[in-house]
């Protein structure tokens, strides 16, 4: 059975008689295209009704496995940063970013020629802010665009620049008890 938007126009017009059929058709078509686009971009869609709790529509069952929820959360943040990068039409700055923990950072921080072992290079610096284990961020100039993220077993360069510490708590302040506008919490 194939159902089309036109099949729902009359039902919707009964609930909203002040709208014309062409307006309802445009609204429904836009909504369905937007829903399909969000699903294509691996986004979650919240479906609400007035009588029930919200239902999150996504593929797969996560159950109660906390590790699966964590990996899903990380994937969603990464996808959000990439989608926003595309929607804002940001230009690639010619750098790839490397996130290091304290041990890796202390091994290379005082050297002129730095050697990075077993690292992932990411195109978007904000992706590194979501990982609590990354404490230091470096940037390396790269000659070509190699995608969002790639692995390098050994990278030896004298052009690596230190960006700074990963301020995970500041970046996630609105989720860690702060206000939703990103300002620090005033609660004691």
């Amino acid at each position: 059975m194939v159902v089309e938007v036109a099949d729902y126009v009359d039902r919707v017009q009964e609930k909203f008689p002040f709208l014309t059929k062409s307006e309802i058709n445009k609204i429904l078509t836009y909504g369905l295209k937007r829903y399909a686009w969000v699903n294509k971009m691996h986004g979650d869609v919240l479906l609400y009704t007035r009588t029930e709790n919200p239902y999150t529509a996504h593929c797969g069952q996560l159950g109660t496995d906390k590790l699966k929820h964590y990996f899903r959360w990380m994937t969603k943040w990464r996808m959000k940063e990439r989608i926003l990068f595309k929607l804002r039409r940001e230009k690639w700055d010619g750098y790839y970013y490397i996130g290091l923990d304290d041990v890796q950072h202390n091994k290379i921080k005082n050297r002129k020629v730095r050697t990075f072992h077993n690292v992932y290079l990411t195109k978007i610096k904000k992706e590194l802010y979501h990982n609590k284990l990354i404490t230091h961020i470096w940037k390396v100039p790269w000659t070509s665009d190699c995608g969002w993220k790639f692995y390098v077993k050994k990278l030896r360069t004298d052009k690596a620049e230190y960006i700074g510490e990963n301020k995970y708590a500041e970046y996630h302040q609105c989720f860690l008890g702060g206000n939703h506008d990103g300002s620090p919490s005033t609660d004691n």
Side-chain angles (χ1 to χ4, degrees), residues 14-90:
E14 289 173 7
K15 293 185 179 187
F16 303 98
F18 54 89
L19 294 172
T20 65
K21 287 186 178 188
S22 64
E23 291 173 336
I24 292 172
N25 192 18
K26 286 179 186 177
I27 292 169
L28 291 175
T29 303
Y30 173 80
L32 289 172
K33 284 182 180 179
R34 195 54 143 172
Y35 177 77
W37 182 82
V38 168
N39 279 330
K40 185 178 102 176
M41 299 306 276
H42 305 287
D44 288 341
V45 178
L46 294 176
L47 304 173
Y48 287 95
T49 64
R50 292 175 188 241
T51 59
E52 299 174 14
N53 293 330
Y55 169 74
T56 305
H58 60 269
C59 298
Q61 294 295 329
L62 296 175
T64 58
D65 191 351
K66 299 218 184 280
L67 192 57
K68 284 184 184 177
H69 281 282
Y70 171 75
F71 284 124
R72 179 166 177 77
W73 178 80
M74 290 296 287
T75 302
K76 290 300 171 184
W77 273 110
R78 188 169 45 253
M79 292 303 297
K80 176 185 174 186
E81 294 299 345
R82 292 176 184 178
I83 289 170
L84 289 176
F85 186 85
K86 284 182 181 178
L87 290 176
R88 291 179 187 142
R89 294 187 172 100
E90 293 181 27

Side-chain angles (χ1 to χ4, degrees), residues 69-115:
H69 281 282
Y70 171 75
F71 284 124
R72 179 166 177 77
W73 178 80
M74 290 296 287
T75 302
K76 290 300 171 184
W77 273 110
R78 188 169 45 253
M79 292 303 297
K80 176 185 174 186
E81 294 299 345
R82 292 176 184 178
I83 289 170
L84 289 176
F85 186 85
K86 284 182 181 178
L87 290 176
R88 291 179 187 142
R89 294 187 172 100
E90 293 181 27
K91 301 251 187 227
W92 179 54
D93 59 0
Y95 288 95
Y96 273 89
Y97 299 92
I98 302 170
L100 302 175
D101 61 12
D102 286 328
V103 174
Q104 294 169 321
H105 174 73
N106 290 334
K107 287 181 183 177
I108 64 163
K109 70 177 179 180
N110 294 327
R111 299 182 183 198
K112 182 171 174 84
V113 177
R114 295 176 176 89
T115 304

